[in-house]
Amino acid sequence: SGDIELRAEGNVFWVEVIINGQSRRETVLDSGASLLSIPADMAKELNLVPSKDDPDIRLSLADGKIVDAKLMVLDTVQVGQFIVNDVECAILPESLIAAQPVLGGTYLRHFTYKIQPDKGTLSLVKLKGGDDAVTVEQKEKPKE
């Protein structure tokens, strides 16, 4: 278990995420979102280029807008000391110019979590039996 720092902006909480071990980005923490989602411009910066083989999906955004996106799998997503492997994400269309990256259920479902606005933290507790979620310490430990 561990606590991760959040940044509050009005009623929106932002958390730092490391995608595929290479890129640190602030993302919106959205416990109501089913997927982690990445705007098209950020996907390009991360060299996440959807192919015709990546499935098309339809998303209903928080504002009620329906958009078509591409479903991809990220190698790793890290929040604080917690790394989850093989995380499904939606690559949003280029037409969503002001879209923000969102940390949603495809990452959060590996944990019991609690947002503590008064402390400005996200508390994560790894679910038992979840081998696809590890801590940084576990990842760096050599296998026996």
Side-chain angles (χ1 to χ4, degrees):
S1 68
D3 291 337
I4 293 94
E5 186 177 328
L6 295 175
R7 180 176 66 83
E9 195 173 286
N11 291 329
V12 177
F13 291 102
W14 293 80
V15 64
E16 188 174 87
V17 174
I18 301 172
I19 296 174
N20 290 341
Q22 64 183 2
S23 181
R24 283 180 194 273
R25 299 294 167 99
E26 266 200 332
T27 64
V28 173
L29 176 64
D30 187 347
S31 61
S34 58
L35 285 167
L36 187 151
S37 63
I38 299 174
D41 59 339
M42 182 175 156
K44 284 181 186 170
E45 292 171 18
L46 295 170
N47 293 319
L48 297 171
V49 181
S51 72
K52 63 179 184 338
D53 296 332
D54 292 312
D56 293 315
I57 58 173
R58 283 221 135 145
L59 298 176
S60 176
L61 303 181
D63 64 2
K65 184 187 287 188
I66 305 292
V67 297
D68 293 320
K70 285 289 202 173
L71 186 65
M72 294 186 73
V73 177
L74 301 171
D75 292 334
T76 62
V77 175
Q78 180 177 344
V79 176
Q81 71 265 35
F82 298 101
I83 301 169
V84 177
N85 298 310
D86 303 322
V87 178
E88 284 188 325
C89 75
I91 304 298
L92 300 174
E94 289 183 17
S95 61
L96 290 177
I97 297 166
Q100 300 292 344
V102 172
L103 182 68
T106 49
Y107 179 88
L108 294 172
R109 72 175 179 223
H110 298 276
F111 304 93
T112 302
Y113 56 90
K114 181 178 181 181
I115 299 167
Q116 300 182 75
D118 54 324
K119 293 181 180 178
T121 60
L122 167 67
S123 296
L124 293 177
V125 178
K126 184 181 144 193
L127 294 174
K128 289 191 183 342
D131 292 336
D132 43 3
V134 298
T135 63
V136 172
E137 295 81 21
Q138 289 171 318
K139 186 172 185 170
E140 293 172 352
K141 194 186 304 181
K143 296 207 177 198
E144 299 172 6

